[in-house]
Each structure stands twice: as structure tokens, then as C-alpha cells.
Amino acid sequence: MRISDKDEFDKANIFGQGMPNEAYAKYFIGHSWLNGLSSPECGLAMANVTFEPGCRNNWHIHHAATGGGQMLICTAGSGWYQEWGKDPVSLEPGVVIAIPAGVKHWHGAKADSWFSHIAFDIPGTEQHNEWLESVDDDYYAALEG
């Protein structure tokens, strides 16, 4: 469900916007926010990530020697997810995306909608993220759906 009005989106964004995503801002086009939902002591860090319309992260890969990967649970607004070499997937509230370790991908808001998802890394060993090129502006602008 596309939501361009910020006040309307804030009502739908039940996990809250949180603080500006300053730590990872260099890997995003546009503004994003993080709202931590768990403490690191529990062993599974979870955060609600909010994207302004048009905001998306760069292509990236979650590496792990064993296990690993990422899960996205879409909670509000409308966004995109895409794996390298595959068609983009429309993200709407309730959609769950399982991203295996080693898969190059990106995700973010649609051009005309705010968007939030809960993101968490799947436990594994020797985990690290590799941040890559940004999603091309012309390519992104041509996405429909």
C-alpha cells in the first residue's frame, strides 16, 4: 500500500521511525532511520528501517562462512527488493523476504511511498557485509508496480 503522506505513514509504521541512520548513510540514496527492536545481548539484532520515498540502499552482500543472510519483514508503505540478475519484487506489508548469505541485492522505498521493514541478520559465523555500487538512478526511476 503506497503511502506518500508522512502523517498517514507514521500511523501505519507501528514499530516507529527511530533515529537517523547516520552509521550507514553513505550506503543509501536518500534518508533512512533505524529503530532498534532488540538488544545485542539476545543474540539477534533486529531493527525497523524506515525509508523516505525514493530512498534505497546500495547493492550489497551479507557474507558468512556458515549460516548467515538476512530477513526482511515488510511492515508499512511500499518498497522494492531485488537480487542481482532477477526482476525486482514489490514489497508490501506482510511480505517476508529471506536473503541467503552471498546473494547480491538491494532494497528500499518506491519513488512515491514511505516504506518500513524489520531487518535482522541470520546468525552465522564469520559474518560481514560488503557494500557495493548504488542502484542506478535511471534504472530505479523506470521501475513500475
Side-chain angles (χ1 to χ4, degrees):
M1 170 205 277
R2 293 180 194 218
I3 305 174
S4 60
D5 181 77
K6 180 67 163 78
D7 290 333
E8 183 182 342
F9 177 76
D10 286 342
K11 291 175 189 171
N13 191 13
I14 61 174
F15 291 100
Q17 180 171 302
M19 303 300 294
N21 184 7
E22 295 173 0
Y24 295 94
K26 64 183 175 183
Y27 305 118
F28 283 69
I29 292 174
H31 294 98
S32 64
W33 294 261
L34 295 176
N35 189 22
L37 301 176
S38 64
S39 66
E41 296 80 32
C42 80
L44 184 64
M46 294 175 36
N48 189 52
V49 184
T50 297
F51 302 78
E52 70 179 350
C55 178
R56 68 257 187 207
N57 54 32
N58 288 3
W59 289 97
H60 59 285
I61 302 170
H62 301 276
H63 293 284
T66 61
Q70 185 180 48
M71 295 285 292
L72 306 177
I73 302 171
C74 304
T75 57
S78 188
W80 292 111
Y81 167 78
Q82 185 176 18
E83 292 182 7
W84 188 259
K86 295 186 178 180
D87 291 336
V89 174
S90 181
L91 300 178
E92 306 297 332
V95 171
V96 176
I97 300 289
I99 307 162
V103 172
K104 184 176 178 178
H105 67 283
W106 70 271
H107 37 101
K110 290 188 176 169
D112 60 352
S113 181
W114 287 84
F115 177 63
S116 281
H117 63 53
I118 296 172
F120 59 93
D121 291 335
I122 305 297
T125 61
E126 301 177 38
Q127 294 177 273
H128 70 280
N129 292 344
E130 178 183 5
W131 290 97
L132 303 163
E133 70 274 12
S134 62
V135 176
D136 180 78
D137 288 337
D138 291 335
Y139 174 81
Y140 177 81
L143 294 175
E144 297 179 11

